[in-house]
Amino acid sequence: MTWQIIAAGILSCVLGYLLGSLSFAVIISKCVYHKDVREFGSGNAGMTNILRTFGKKAAAFTLLGDMAKGTAAVLLARALFQLIAQTDSVYGAYLAGIFALLGHLFPLYFHFKGGKGVAVGAGTIIGTEPWVVLALIIIFLIVVCVTRIVSLSSIVVAALYPVLTYLYYWLLPTGPIAWLCALMAAVMGGIVIFMHRQNIKRLLNGTEYKFGQKKAEEKARREAGTKSE
């Protein structure tokens, strides 16, 4: 049984990474707009940058694609453990999710330059603890509405993810070990926070981008020009 579990774990990690390497921001920007989103804005292959660069429709498809690959990696891992080791391993699903996240950050097919992992992370949580992701989405939206800063919202939910994961499994009458699941969730959350290190610096300096900031500045300039006339 041990070798079956090891084999399922290795396959889950490899397939998770290969799925994660499907960078939908790059695919959509190149196939639809014939440009590479990484050459614009923040240089990241993520939903926020493609929203600023190519608009809401492109961002929506990017978000769905990145979330879907995270969920697919987790579900595929659980199927592999069931098939090879005859067990449903949440820990194996977490491993696949971690490697899908790494694939998104360092995509094999796109010169290892990807996004920051928030959407694919959300997708992996859907495949492991859907109630947790629902709570995180609510928290994310609240922080975005209050601050209009997506990066801050991402950092907050990444930090809260292991906490809510622990509470989720701790409240279950039976199931996986709560602290071990929380530890693996902390690895994912920690990676996402690390990828936002430049955003953290800008947040501390008060220079981080806010949604609507450019539009507001442009409107203010137009109004100032009108008054001067």
Side-chain angles (χ1 to χ4, degrees):
M1 181 65 70
T2 303
W3 74 265
Q4 289 97 327
I5 292 175
I6 293 173
I10 293 172
L11 279 173
S12 297
C13 292
V14 171
L15 291 175
Y17 176 75
L18 293 176
L19 277 171
S21 292
L22 293 169
S23 180
F24 283 90
V26 179
I27 293 170
I28 290 170
S29 64
K30 285 190 172 184
C31 292
V32 179
Y33 302 97
H34 309 293
K35 297 176 182 178
D36 191 332
V37 68
R38 294 171 297 179
E39 297 174 357
F40 299 88
S42 65
N44 289 307
M47 188 273 291
T48 304
N49 196 33
I50 205 166
L51 173 63
R52 295 177 195 165
T53 308
F54 298 112
K56 295 178 181 178
K57 186 180 292 186
F61 281 109
T62 299
L63 178 64
L64 289 173
D66 285 344
M67 290 180 67
K69 70 186 181 186
T71 304
V74 167
L75 296 179
L76 184 57
R78 299 185 91 150
L80 283 170
F81 271 89
Q82 197 71 254
L83 180 66
I84 298 173
Q86 286 77 53
T87 182
D88 181 20
S89 175
V90 173
Y91 311 123
Y94 272 112
L95 278 176
I98 290 170
F99 274 82
L101 178 61
L102 291 174
H104 179 78
L105 304 181
F106 311 106
L108 177 66
Y109 319 120
F110 301 107
H111 308 292
F112 304 99
K113 185 181 178 183
K116 295 183 178 178
V118 177
V120 67
T124 63
I125 306 170
I126 289 173
T128 51
E129 312 98 10
W131 290 110
V132 171
V133 80
L134 179 61
L136 291 174
I137 288 172
I138 293 171
I139 294 169
F140 181 91
L141 292 175
I142 290 172
V143 178
V144 165
C145 289
V146 172
T147 66
R148 294 187 291 122
I149 304 176
V150 174
S151 60
L152 178 60
S153 308
S154 301
I155 293 165
V156 169
V157 297
L160 290 177
Y161 172 38
V163 177
L164 295 181
T165 297
Y166 179 83
L167 291 174
Y168 175 79
Y169 286 110
W170 180 69
L171 291 171
L172 290 179
T174 58
I177 301 170
W179 69 264
L180 185 54
C181 291
L183 178 62
M184 300 182 89
V187 170
M188 294 182 66
I191 292 172
V192 171
I193 292 172
F194 177 77
M195 295 304 296
H196 283 81
R197 59 194 182 280
Q198 295 301 324
N199 302 87
I200 293 172
K201 289 181 181 178
R202 290 193 293 270
L203 285 167
L204 293 174
N205 294 332
T207 57
E208 182 63 320
Y209 172 82
K210 294 183 179 182
F211 263 123
Q213 187 175 44
K214 290 182 179 179
K215 291 181 180 179
E217 290 173 353
E218 182 62 29
K219 184 179 178 181
R221 283 196 296 269
R222 287 200 303 267
E223 288 177 352
T226 302
K227 289 177 181 179
S228 63
E229 292 172 0

